[in-house]
Amino acid sequence: MRTSLLRLLTGTVALTGMATLAQAADLPSRYSPAPVYSAAPVFTWTGFYVGANAGYGWNTGTSRYYDPAFGYVGGGKSGGFVGGGQLGYNYQFGMFVLGAETDIQYAAVGNKGASYGRIYFPGQSDGFFGTIRARAGVAFDRALVYGTGGFAYGDIGGNAAVDPLLGYRRDDNTNGGWTVGGGVEYAVTNNISAKVEGLYVNLDTRSNYVGGTAGSVRRDTEFGVLRAGVNYKFN
């Protein structure tokens, strides 16, 4: 009798335990769900951009003019403000960035004065130039170090002279040439970047007057530019 009662109690306890475990299994979990991982977007230089720049330019070439006593001799040099706008496109693959950029600039770097003998006739130093360039660089996350080069054009200076018959003459001629340079650009935000850039520009300027005739005399228009700028990159 005692043995049967013990077996009955043991079985009851076992059934109760199993029922409790089954109910616990049906209850919702008390553990927090696994966190959802969302990777931060990686910055890329790829995209179209537009911007503005300003800086200083200085004439490195020699403006030549005709002197009846000494022949073709050198004139003066000058420098001044440079500023304008640019637009372009970059494409990034890995650490490397390739792109193209065009810009148009006001430039007070020319020597548009004229000389005759020992007399100098001041002219206007302001002019303009533009470039169409390729860019290639290496990106270190938001920093970009690049080189650039391509076609240049403009009316900067070195295209004025004094004609012995007609007096002071000045032409407005747009001349072609080339440019090369480099710079550093940093993305302040995903859309706005700031840069510092240096360029060397060489325009093939030819204009001189002797005896009423425009002569094809080389009047070098070579100048350097150091400028800072900002760009806005479209998403």
Side-chain angles (χ1 to χ4, degrees):
M1 180 68 179
R2 183 177 298 175
T3 301
S4 298
L5 182 59
L6 181 60
R7 289 177 179 175
L8 180 59
L9 291 174
T10 303
T12 301
V13 171
L15 289 174
T16 303
M18 292 177 63
T20 303
L21 291 176
Q23 291 178 355
D26 292 337
L27 294 175
S29 173
R30 295 182 180 179
Y31 294 101
S32 300
V36 178
Y37 176 73
S38 179
V42 178
F43 175 78
T44 177
W45 287 94
T46 299
F48 289 95
Y49 63 88
V50 63
N53 67 81
Y56 182 80
W58 61 97
N59 199 314
T60 62
T62 300
S63 178
R64 302 179 66 191
Y65 60 90
Y66 180 79
D67 185 299
F70 301 100
Y72 297 110
V73 297
K77 302 178 181 180
S78 61
F81 174 78
V82 172
Q86 69 272 350
L87 62 88
Y89 178 81
N90 289 321
Y91 179 76
Q92 181 173 355
F93 52 100
M95 292 182 61
F96 301 99
V97 177
L98 294 178
E101 181 176 289
T102 182
D103 66 284
I104 188 73
Q105 308 287 135
Y106 166 84
V109 301
N111 172 26
K112 289 191 175 183
S115 296
Y116 185 70
R118 297 181 179 275
I119 303 174
Y120 177 71
F121 298 83
Q124 297 177 354
S125 64
D126 57 334
F128 79 95
F129 78 94
T131 69
I132 302 173
R133 296 171 285 107
R135 300 206 316 169
V138 179
F140 302 92
D141 190 18
R142 291 178 175 269
L144 175 64
V145 180
Y146 64 90
T148 184
F151 175 73
Y153 61 93
D155 177 21
I156 293 298
N159 55 354
V162 167
D163 188 297
L165 298 179
L166 304 178
Y168 173 71
R169 296 280 297 269
R170 174 180 179 272
D171 271 2
D172 289 313
N173 294 324
T174 299
N175 306 280
W178 55 273
T179 181
V180 66
V184 178
E185 190 167 355
Y186 183 80
V188 181
T189 70
N190 287 342
N191 298 100
I192 298 176
S193 62
K195 70 175 183 178
V196 176
E197 183 177 75
L199 292 177
Y200 170 79
V201 183
N202 187 310
L203 300 179
D204 188 16
T205 302
R206 295 174 181 272
S207 179
N208 196 66
Y209 290 88
V210 181
T213 303
S216 179
V217 179
R218 183 175 182 84
R219 302 170 66 81
D220 295 338
T221 302
E222 305 170 21
F223 57 96
V225 175
L226 182 61
R227 59 190 182 183
V230 292
N231 287 325
Y232 179 86
K233 181 172 72 70
F234 299 96
N235 292 327

